[in-house]
């Protein structure tokens, strides 16, 4: 999808990121999260290709895993800022879920 954005900054701290939340149907037809990922937007002119590793949160116990499978409600983040920030992520159990490739054309 084309995105047209203009930014101005004196330093790259907190540089904008694109956060992806990918959803899809599961075996029972429920719409569940398939992966989360984030990447910083490049700031040099030209064509840039970024591969984003995707991950999905997991339940911490077997009982929670069975309950989420049985009810069709899998763990997911309520706030997309969690994906872009590093704070609090070290205590979250996640599983790798593939990759997404994005192309940027920066002018």
């Amino acid at each position: 999808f084309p995105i047209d954005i203009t930014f101005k900054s004196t330093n790259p701290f907190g540089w904008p990121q694109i956060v992806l939340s990918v959803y899809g149907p599961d075996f029972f037809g429920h719409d569940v999260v398939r992966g989360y990922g984030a990447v910083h937007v490049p700031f040099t002119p030209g064509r840039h290709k970024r591969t984003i590793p995707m991950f999905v949160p997991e339940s911490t116990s077997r009982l929670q895993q069975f309950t989420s499978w049985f009810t069709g409600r899998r763990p997911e983040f309520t706030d997309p800022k969690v994906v872009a920030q590093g704070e609090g992520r070290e205590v979250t159990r996640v599983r790798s879920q593939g990759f997404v490739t994005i192309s940027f054309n920066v002018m």
Side-chain angles (χ1 to χ4, degrees):
F1 300 106
I3 300 173
D4 185 14
I5 303 173
T6 303
F7 294 106
K8 183 177 180 183
S9 178
T10 57
N11 62 8
F13 179 76
W15 192 256
Q17 297 183 47
I18 290 183
V19 176
L20 299 176
S21 300
V22 180
Y23 290 85
D26 66 356
F27 182 74
F28 300 108
H30 299 113
D31 201 26
V32 295
V33 67
R34 292 293 183 186
Y36 294 106
V39 66
H40 286 278
V41 176
F43 56 90
T44 56
R47 183 176 179 93
H48 304 275
K49 195 173 188 181
R50 298 287 188 260
T51 301
I52 306 168
M54 303 298 284
F55 61 90
V56 64
E58 280 196 332
S59 300
T60 55
S61 71
R62 294 280 182 201
L63 178 61
Q64 287 176 337
Q65 289 175 353
F66 176 74
T67 304
S68 67
W69 175 82
F70 186 70
T71 61
R73 297 197 40 107
R74 297 191 181 157
E76 60 182 77
F77 296 125
T78 56
D79 186 9
K81 291 180 184 176
V82 173
V83 177
Q85 297 172 344
E87 300 172 19
R89 289 256 316 271
E90 66 275 358
V91 295
T92 306
R93 179 181 285 187
V94 296
R95 177 174 33 96
S96 178
Q97 195 68 14
F99 298 91
V100 171
T101 303
I102 294 182
S103 295
F104 294 98
N105 291 314
V106 180
M107 296 183 352

